Amino acid sequence: MKVGLIGLGIMGKPMGANLLKKGYDLTVFDRNLTPVQELVAAGAKSAADVRELAASCDVVLTMLPNSPHVKNVVLEAGGVIETIREGSVVIDMSSINPMASREIAAELEKHGVKMLDAPVSGGEPKAVDGTLSFMVGGPEDVFEAHKELLSSMGASVVRCGEIGAGNVTKLCNQVVVAVNIAVVGEALMLGQKAGVSPDAIYRAIRGGLAGSTVMDAKAPMMMDRNFNPGFRIDLHIKDLNNVLDTAKSVDAPMLLTNQVMEMMKVLHHDGEGQSDHSALVKFYEKLTDEQIGR
Ligand code: NAD
């Protein structure tokens, strides 16, 4: 199976490295040459542009920032759609609007090309380890035929439904994470203002019902004032925009998410866009004029 990978950023580059380790015949493209050169040094081929890449591959993987980037690379002039062979498959691993996934799949279908949307959770460390969680939408037979390929980059690969279902699931993931981080910050500030140390609160409650993977990952970052990303506030704003667009289209109530989105926008305007999303605690610090400590 000849595999093409477009988008070699924080996530795409280590995912490409894992494909090479598993022995896949990999061709890569990014408009930034540095990660291309690194993967070529590790055994990949490089393509001059996405048209050349698509012409030579059975599967085209994309790992790009958002819906407009994926539409541009796949559908627009000079894009994958101009040269991809009938019977090939596109797997978009970016986190994008599920409505965009459906639009792109419908256009590809006209050219005899099937598509899966397969966003991931786990972030850079799991992209490096090859232990990402994939949430996948698209035809069952296409999923089954490419499950092994995705498993070479992930520890969990779950089909959630037809095309778009992967990104709907990813949006649900981003809602749970955003609201969870915000409420951890809210609770630690309550505790500190009421005279109990955040560290004691964290150690006492993490094993009970309130404990969560988010709490274990983010409460220590808040207490240590370590806001190095991780997952950036600006990227989470991008995802929550997709959440709110999708919610509007299906008339779903998003009370808590709307509040956290407003908090993230304030932080963005305060210059925290590149900080880890655990910096949500700074919203509470701004309101109280007090910093969270241990
Ligand atoms: P990134 O910005 O680091 O990488 C994107 C890459 O795409 C860059 O190398 C850029 O040069 C390239 N690119 C953009 N437009 C292009 C074009 N037209 N042609 C060729 N290359 C182009 O982003 P990332 O952090 O790797 O994230 C990728 C996707 O994965 C996003 O949708 C993000 O939401 C999602 N994601 C990220 C994380 C994370 O922790 N970073 C975790 C889970 C999911």
Side-chain angles (χ1 to χ4, degrees):
M1 184 190 289
K2 294 185 95 177
V3 180
L5 172 59
I6 303 167
L8 309 174
I10 292 175
M11 299 295 285
K13 190 180 77 173
M15 291 164 85
N18 282 323
L19 290 171
L20 289 170
K21 278 184 207 149
K22 297 280 167 165
Y24 283 100
D25 179 346
L26 183 69
T27 304
V28 295
F29 179 78
D30 193 295
R31 50 187 187 193
N32 175 6
L33 276 183
T34 311
V36 172
Q37 285 161 351
E38 284 179 48
L39 286 183
V40 167
K45 297 175 193 127
S46 71
D49 52 35
V50 301
R51 290 176 85 252
E52 187 181 300
L53 178 144
S56 67
C57 291
D58 307 304
V59 185
V60 175
L61 303 172
T62 47
M63 195 52 168
L64 297 160
N66 199 5
S67 318
H69 307 83
V70 182
K71 280 187 176 176
N72 171 258
V73 160
V74 178
L75 299 183
E76 288 174 15
V80 165
I81 202 159
E82 291 183 354
T83 53
I84 193 164
R85 295 185 304 249
E86 193 176 337
S88 305
V89 169
V90 170
I91 305 180
D92 177 37
M93 307 184 296
S94 329
S95 304
I96 69 169
N97 192 316
M99 292 176 282
S101 302
R102 290 175 188 144
E103 280 173 42
I104 297 164
E107 286 305 313
L108 288 169
E109 184 88 51
K110 292 178 193 165
H111 291 71
V113 174
K114 301 267 190 233
M115 175 172 161
L116 300 174
D117 62 316
V120 301
S121 79
E124 188 184 16
K126 294 196 173 203
V128 172
D129 290 353
T131 56
L132 292 165
S133 296
F134 281 89
M135 33 214 120
V136 188
E140 193 150 14
D141 57 332
V142 182
F143 171 75
E144 289 301 335
H146 296 86
K147 198 172 170 184
E148 195 182 321
L149 172 67
L150 297 179
S151 297
S152 67
M153 299 174 277
S156 153
V157 182
V158 176
R159 181 176 177 268
C160 303
E162 297 305 330
I163 187 75
N167 272 305
V168 169
T169 306
K170 174 70 185 179
L171 295 182
C172 295
N173 181 82
Q174 294 307 79
V175 164
V176 172
V177 170
V179 175
N180 208 336
I181 294 175
V183 86
V184 167
E186 186 168 298
L188 293 184
M189 183 57 82
L190 165 71
Q192 178 169 293
K193 284 190 78 67
V196 181
S197 84
D199 190 47
I201 295 166
Y202 168 58
R203 284 186 288 108
I205 71 175
R206 64 182 288 264
L209 190 57
S212 65
T213 310
V214 165
M215 183 183 280
D216 281 337
K218 304 301 175 182
M221 290 179 75
M222 292 176 188
M223 294 186 290
D224 293 342
R225 309 199 59 67
N226 164 20
F227 301 115
N228 297 329
F231 194 81
R232 286 177 274 125
I233 294 263
D234 280 351
L235 216 48
H236 218 139
I237 290 176
K238 180 266 291 187
D239 287 337
L240 294 190
N241 266 321
N242 286 335
V243 165
L244 296 174
D245 283 349
T246 304
K248 198 169 172 199
S249 73
V250 295
D251 202 17
M254 302 304 302
L255 286 78
L256 301 175
T257 303
N258 268 303
Q259 300 245 359
V260 178
M261 177 63 145
E262 293 305 319
M263 291 162 63
M264 286 193 182
K265 283 187 189 166
V266 169
L267 291 167
H268 171 86
H269 286 293
D270 285 351
E272 297 287 350
Q274 299 303 310
S275 299
D276 186 73
H277 47 184
S278 54
L280 271 166
V281 73
K282 290 192 178 182
F283 185 83
Y284 293 95
E285 294 179 344
K286 198 178 156 85
L287 293 179
T288 55
D289 241 345
E290 190 170 318
Q291 281 193 358
I292 283 287
R294 271 268 167 196

